[in-house]
Amino acid sequence: MAVSSSVILSPLNFNFITNNKDINKNLSFLSANPLIFNISSKPTNINKGSSIVLCSYKSGSGLTAEDKRVLRERYGFDPNEYISETKNERIKEGKKQGKGKEVVAEEEAKVPRTTHKLLQVLGGKAKRKKLLSPKGMDVRPMMEVVKGAAFDRLQAADGCPASLRPGRWLDLYSGTGSVGIEAISRGCSEAHFVEMDPWVVSNVLRPNLEWTGFLDASVIHPVRVETFLEQADRFAGNGPFDYISVTPPYTQVDYGMLMSQISKSPIVGEDTFIVVEYPLRTDMLDSCGCLVKIKDRRFGRTHLAIYGPKWAQKKRKSEKTLQNTT
């Protein structure tokens, strides 16, 4: 379906923004407008077969410092390690202690956020292109070794080891956008990025899409993932996504609640594959809605779980049987 490049009003009363550079440079409105579309006017062929979901959680969660401490302890981390709080949390706490002005002054005196190029595209037409990422740990991209393993397994499960088949990719808590960019590079025709931090969108995500040449095939949704999932029937538009990515910050998400919300969302179809990066000491169920776990691999303190349809599980068992007999 062809999409007009002119500014139109979506069903959610959010504007679809054109690729006009003068318009796109001004992203200060992101926090007020929860949806940006930057999509090519060229028609795209959307395969309605298997869907694949990867999960990435990087934005604020609304958890208190105590909630984060409990999660750290549950996942096997030192609960007494420093847990970052948002600016509003620190100011609110400072006011309770009679230090409101001092806290505000301290926040304003902080060094501006900066970026560096440590990430790269691992495969496909943008292979070896360096990507921007924020300095510090406010955004934690998926580890490249995990990302490489995830895509290799997805391509094999989808019956095309050399590349991904054309389709739509949803990168939840996208941050740098490295997972969705990897998807387009490997053959995906369109990618949606959900990232609520305006600074990350304007200084990291969007420049990465421009640098790789994938901006016209991308859609940016500057909203909370929870909001996106709650209104997925409106955001998704054309039904379930073919691919989706999720790598939550370990201390800011309850995996049980997150996976439950994803499994009940219309973004997931019967042939969906879900890839989840999660920490040790996390109880991941053997199923997610109508999907079953077909792979679970450990990378140091990180695990990679893949859920998919039952036919994919049978295919994997057949492959293992064949390997054992040979």
Side-chain angles (χ1 to χ4, degrees):
M1 180 181 69
V3 180
S4 172
S5 60
S6 60
V7 178
I8 60 177
L9 194 64
S10 79
L12 293 178
N13 295 325
F14 305 142
N15 287 333
F16 287 66
I17 306 301
T18 70
N19 282 331
N20 184 301
K21 293 184 177 179
D22 294 331
I23 296 175
N24 288 327
K25 284 180 180 178
N26 183 8
L27 295 174
S28 60
F29 63 87
L30 287 177
S31 59
N33 293 274
L35 181 63
I36 297 180
F37 258 94
N38 289 310
I39 187 166
S40 174
S41 59
K42 296 181 291 184
T44 57
N45 295 323
I46 299 175
N47 188 306
K48 297 192 177 182
S50 302
S51 303
I52 297 181
V53 179
L54 274 149
C55 304
S56 176
Y57 193 117
K58 297 183 179 67
S59 301
S61 64
L63 298 179
T64 66
E66 178 61 21
D67 292 333
K68 295 176 185 178
R69 190 196 67 78
V70 172
L71 285 174
R72 289 190 67 84
E73 186 172 15
R74 179 191 304 174
Y75 297 144
F77 296 97
D78 182 358
N80 296 317
E81 282 184 15
Y82 172 75
I83 299 174
S84 62
E85 297 176 295
T86 64
K87 176 179 176 180
N88 289 337
E89 286 176 335
R90 289 190 290 269
I91 292 176
K92 185 176 180 180
E93 184 64 25
K95 287 182 177 180
K96 288 182 179 179
Q97 300 176 8
K99 300 178 181 179
K101 293 183 179 180
E102 291 83 348
V103 173
V104 173
E106 180 183 346
E107 292 292 339
E108 292 177 347
K110 281 189 175 180
V111 178
R113 298 167 75 179
T114 56
T115 62
H116 52 185
K117 285 191 173 183
L118 294 180
L119 305 175
Q120 67 175 342
V121 181
L122 302 179
K125 52 192 174 186
K127 185 177 181 179
R128 294 192 180 90
K129 280 204 171 188
K130 295 289 186 179
L131 301 177
L132 291 170
S133 60
K135 289 184 178 180
M137 293 300 293
D138 52 340
V139 173
R140 181 189 61 79
M142 174 183 271
M143 294 168 55
E144 291 196 341
V145 63
V146 179
K147 182 172 69 173
F151 275 91
D152 288 345
R153 184 57 204 157
L154 292 179
Q155 290 171 189
D158 211 22
C160 187
S163 64
L164 291 172
R165 58 183 174 75
R168 297 192 307 153
W169 186 285
L170 175 61
D171 188 357
L172 297 175
Y173 306 94
S174 58
T176 64
S178 67
V179 179
I181 288 172
E182 188 78 31
I184 302 176
S185 180
R186 293 187 184 227
C188 206
S189 57
E190 179 185 320
H192 291 240
F193 299 86
V194 180
E195 173 55 52
M196 67 169 287
D197 188 329
W199 186 90
V200 171
V201 171
S202 59
N203 293 279
V204 181
L205 174 56
R206 190 179 185 83
N208 281 340
L209 292 172
E210 293 174 341
W211 166 241
T212 53
F214 297 153
L215 185 60
D216 286 347
S218 301
V219 182
I220 300 175
H221 303 274
V223 297
R224 294 175 61 88
V225 167
E226 296 86 350
T227 302
F228 183 90
L229 293 175
E230 288 169 358
Q231 303 181 31
D233 54 338
R234 298 182 181 181
F235 285 118
N238 294 322
F241 282 87
D242 297 283
Y243 307 89
I244 309 172
S245 49
V246 184
T247 55
Y250 301 152
T251 63
Q252 298 184 26
V253 60
D254 183 313
Y255 279 84
M257 293 179 62
L258 176 61
M259 297 307 297
S260 175
Q261 189 175 16
I262 290 174
S263 68
K264 298 173 183 177
S265 172
I267 63 174
V268 178
E270 293 181 355
D271 293 323
T272 295
F273 287 82
I274 305 178
V275 180
V276 186
E277 184 187 18
Y278 67 94
L280 294 176
R281 299 190 185 181
T282 304
D283 295 326
M284 296 297 291
L285 299 177
D286 291 331
S287 63
C288 180
C290 62
L291 308 176
V292 295
K293 188 189 292 184
I294 59 177
K295 186 176 180 62
D296 199 324
R297 182 179 173 185
R298 179 176 176 178
F299 297 85
R301 298 173 70 182
T302 295
H303 270 263
L304 177 69
I306 301 179
Y307 295 86
K310 292 182 179 180
W311 61 259
Q313 185 184 50
K314 293 179 181 178
K315 178 182 177 182
R316 178 162 176 77
K317 287 181 178 179
S318 299
E319 292 174 350
K320 283 186 175 181
T321 303
L322 181 62
Q323 290 175 357
N324 292 334
T325 55
T326 56

